[in-house]
């Protein structure tokens, strides 16, 4: 009887998986949901807060690592829900977005884009594997915290040395990032209502608080934002993103509006400054 039940379940799952993968309506729904989840991760990872108050570099790999972190949260939830097709779709979108950002880097020839993409995929998998390892360690243990801090230092702060930032400040940034990662892991994987997740509605909650960083007997220097100056004046909801060809445009995460030019109000703020 047990074998019969198992076979029935396998057959049912196989038919369901086949229908979802090859049925045009199901495929369309999968693509739509993948886009929603990816955009949710992209929106959070592109917050200027990371690159100003958070003192994280704006260069390609650091930005990609922040995006990878938020994709990883969604990946872990999709594993929990056993939704492998949607997980595959989200990563396909990530690779397409990565190619767009590679094309936008000065000096990258189109013929080398795929080679660079393979390099990006390798560091992405290394980052995800490191985070996976962290979750195997006892929650609340010193060992888990130390391994998580190491993952942040290696993959997001890119092994920042004392010449770039005071080790005292770097450690405080890492600790606050680690608390954020633990919160989001619990929030996205365990607490986000399934009906919201299935609709691509991801409530990330608050960004980590980076104010109040302290250094003994020294003033903390302001962090220099390395991106376009116009980014600093964008109104709430507007993000600077890229097309598949690597061209810049602006996307409003609240209205889904997109345009080539910097939003007018941002231009006015820049001109008045």
């Amino acid at each position: 009887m047990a074998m019969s039940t198992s076979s029935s379940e396998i057959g049912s799952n196989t038919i369901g998986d086949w229908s979802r993968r090859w049925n045009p309506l199901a495929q369309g729904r999968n693509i739509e949901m993948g886009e929603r989840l990816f955009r949710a991760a992209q929106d959070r990872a592109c917050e200027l807060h990371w690159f100003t108050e958070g003192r994280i570099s704006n260069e390609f790999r650091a930005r990609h690592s922040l995006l990878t972190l938020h994709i990883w949260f969604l990946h872990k939830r999709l594993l929990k829900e056993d939704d492998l097709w949607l997980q595959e779709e989200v990563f396909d979108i990530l690779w397409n977005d990565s190619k767009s950002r590679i094309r936008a880097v000065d000096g990258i020839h189109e013929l080398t884009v795929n080679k660079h993409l393979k390099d990006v995929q390798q560091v992405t998998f290394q980052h995800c594997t490191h985070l996976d390892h962290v979750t195997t360690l006892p929650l609340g243990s010193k060992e888990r915290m130390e391994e998580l801090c190491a993952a942040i230092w290696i993959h997001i702060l890119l092994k920042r040395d004392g010449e770039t930032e005071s080790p005292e400040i770097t450690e405080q940034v890492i600790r606050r990032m680690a608390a954020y990662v633990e919160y989001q892991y619990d929030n996205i994987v365990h607490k986000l209502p399934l009906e919201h997740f299935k609709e691509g509605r991801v409530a990330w909650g608050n960004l980590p608080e980076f104010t109040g960083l302290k250094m003994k007997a020294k003033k903390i220097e302001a962090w220099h934002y390395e991106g376009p100056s116009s980014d600093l004046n964008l109104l709430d909801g507007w993000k600077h993103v890229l097309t598949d060809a690597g061209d810049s445009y602006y996307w409003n995460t609240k209205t889904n509006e997109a345009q080539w030019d910097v939003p007018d109000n941002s231009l006015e703020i820049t001109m008045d400054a």
Side-chain angles (χ1 to χ4, degrees):
M1 182 177 295
M3 291 180 63
S4 175
T5 302
S6 178
S7 299
S8 175
E9 288 177 351
I10 291 173
S12 176
N13 289 338
T14 301
I15 293 172
D17 289 346
W18 181 90
S19 175
R20 185 170 181 185
R21 190 170 183 83
W22 302 113
N23 182 292
L25 292 177
Q27 279 185 320
R29 176 64 175 167
N30 219 43
I31 293 171
E32 179 185 358
M33 286 307 305
E35 286 284 355
R36 287 185 182 183
L37 289 175
F38 176 79
R39 289 295 189 182
Q42 183 187 50
D43 183 26
R44 174 48 66 107
C46 287
E47 291 281 358
L48 281 177
H49 180 80
W50 300 113
F51 314 107
T52 51
E53 289 91 337
R55 310 175 81 82
I56 294 172
S57 170
N58 189 54
E59 60 94 19
F60 181 96
R61 186 171 172 185
R63 290 191 73 108
H64 183 81
S65 294
L66 273 174
L67 179 55
T68 297
L69 173 65
H70 291 87
I71 291 291
W72 177 79
F73 293 131
L74 302 178
H75 153 72
K76 299 301 284 187
R77 179 58 182 263
L78 289 168
L79 282 179
K80 179 184 177 183
E81 304 301 338
D82 197 27
D83 199 334
L84 300 182
W85 298 131
L86 186 51
Q87 179 181 242
E88 181 180 316
E89 184 64 38
V90 170
F91 274 96
D92 282 346
I93 296 170
L94 173 61
W95 306 140
N96 285 333
D97 178 77
S98 299
K99 290 173 75 171
S100 300
R101 287 180 284 112
I102 290 169
R103 289 188 174 102
V105 176
D106 290 339
I108 297 294
H109 193 281
E110 180 64 27
L111 293 177
T112 67
V113 168
N114 286 335
K115 175 185 177 298
H116 288 292
L117 177 62
K118 288 181 179 179
D119 294 337
V120 169
Q121 289 172 327
Q122 182 178 8
V123 297
T124 300
F125 290 134
Q126 289 172 347
H127 189 179
C128 290
T129 300
H130 201 162
L131 292 170
D132 285 341
H133 173 62
V134 169
T135 63
T136 67
L137 302 174
L139 182 63
S141 67
K142 181 180 179 181
E143 182 185 11
R144 177 166 170 143
M145 174 56 73
E146 288 179 349
E147 195 62 42
L148 178 53
C149 287
I152 293 167
W153 181 67
I154 292 169
H155 302 289
I156 296 178
L157 297 187
L158 308 178
K159 300 182 180 180
R160 178 183 296 169
D161 58 25
E163 293 184 4
T164 304
E165 176 77 286
S166 163
E168 192 176 346
I169 295 300
T170 296
E171 182 178 355
Q172 292 177 62
V173 169
I174 291 174
R175 293 284 174 179
R176 297 183 188 200
M177 280 288 299
Y180 173 81
V181 172
E182 288 285 22
Y183 166 77
Q184 289 297 356
Y185 180 76
D186 183 53
N187 175 42
I188 301 302
V189 178
H190 301 298
K191 292 183 177 178
L192 182 65
L194 181 58
E195 61 270 23
H196 292 180
F197 186 72
K198 285 185 173 180
E199 294 175 357
R201 291 189 287 148
V202 180
W204 294 108
N206 294 330
L207 287 158
E209 179 59 64
F210 292 111
T211 58
L213 297 175
K214 299 178 180 179
M215 199 163 69
K216 295 177 182 177
K218 288 185 180 180
K219 181 181 179 182
I220 299 175
E221 297 294 332
W223 188 255
H224 175 64
Y225 176 63
E226 301 162 337
S229 59
S230 58
D231 288 357
L232 297 172
N233 297 318
L234 288 175
L235 297 179
D236 184 38
W238 285 99
K239 303 290 181 186
H240 180 199
V241 290
L242 301 170
T243 66
D244 287 348
D247 298 321
S248 295
Y249 71 100
Y250 295 87
W251 165 55
N252 191 305
T253 60
K254 296 181 178 179
T255 66
N256 213 29
E257 180 184 359
Q259 62 187 58
W260 294 112
D261 298 325
V262 179
D264 290 340
N265 286 340
S266 298
L267 281 173
E268 290 173 6
I269 294 173
T270 303
M271 291 170 64
D272 292 340

